[in-house]
Amino acid sequence: MADPATLSAFVTWGITTYPADRTAVVFWDHGGGWTGFGNDESSGQLLNLTQIEQGLKQGLAGANNAKPLALVGFDACLMASYDVGQTVRDYAKVLVASEEVEPGHGWNYDSLTLLDSAPQAPARDLGEALMEGFFAQAIDQQTQADVTLSVADLTT
């Protein structure tokens, strides 16, 4: 999976198979900040930031999608850095990511139900719902002292 062509194909497939007014991509695995994301267990490689940018750019182009994603999220450690924000800023409006190491439970995806009750909610609101759900889950799991998650506006 540490291949920008795989990311590109996934983004293109997702957007063309499930067209929507707004789209999001969430990366889930291990993060390393400026060194990259994911751990391909078959090769031991990470998807570096250049490859993430390449995969997003080519994936959006393959879907004939001229507009950026509403949200890019990293349910992964150490991905809320300046470097990551700079990498995805041309391809997404909002970045949701953790500055520190995430506990094993990761995000609470029940937070996506915000879109049931408010389908037109801005990406920032979805990011905040993901953040709040993550913190609530951390309290339940007693890991609240160990969590960080930010919602960054990439349009400014």
Side-chain angles (χ1 to χ4, degrees):
M1 296 296 291
D3 181 346
T6 302
L7 173 58
S8 172
F10 175 75
V11 170
T12 298
W13 171 82
I15 291 171
T16 57
T17 305
Y18 301 100
D21 293 334
R22 294 172 300 150
T23 55
V25 171
V26 176
F27 294 81
W28 176 86
D29 195 9
H30 298 287
W34 64 269
T35 61
F37 162 81
N39 181 27
D40 184 336
E41 293 180 12
S42 65
S43 71
Q45 299 296 311
L46 294 175
L47 198 59
N48 69 39
L49 296 183
T50 301
Q51 292 170 319
I52 291 170
E53 181 177 16
Q54 180 183 358
L56 290 173
K57 180 179 182 178
Q58 292 176 351
L60 291 171
N64 295 318
N65 192 4
K67 61 185 176 183
L69 300 163
L71 182 146
V72 166
F74 286 92
D75 187 355
C77 301
L78 308 171
M79 296 305 287
S81 68
Y82 178 79
D83 298 330
V84 173
Q86 287 294 104
T87 297
V88 302
R89 72 181 173 144
D90 291 336
Y91 311 103
K93 294 179 181 178
V94 171
L95 171 65
V96 180
S98 177
E99 298 86 359
E100 296 290 338
V101 175
E102 285 191 358
H105 58 71
W107 294 3
N108 179 353
Y109 289 94
D110 288 343
S111 301
L112 294 174
T113 59
L114 166 72
L115 299 175
D116 287 337
S117 59
Q120 297 303 317
R124 180 183 174 137
D125 291 359
L126 177 58
E128 289 175 1
L130 287 164
M131 183 176 62
E132 290 166 7
F134 179 60
F135 286 121
Q137 180 172 269
I139 290 169
D140 289 344
Q141 299 287 324
Q142 299 180 356
T143 60
Q144 67 270 21
D146 301 326
V147 298
T148 60
L149 198 65
S150 63
V151 178
D153 182 344
L154 299 174
T155 65
T156 59

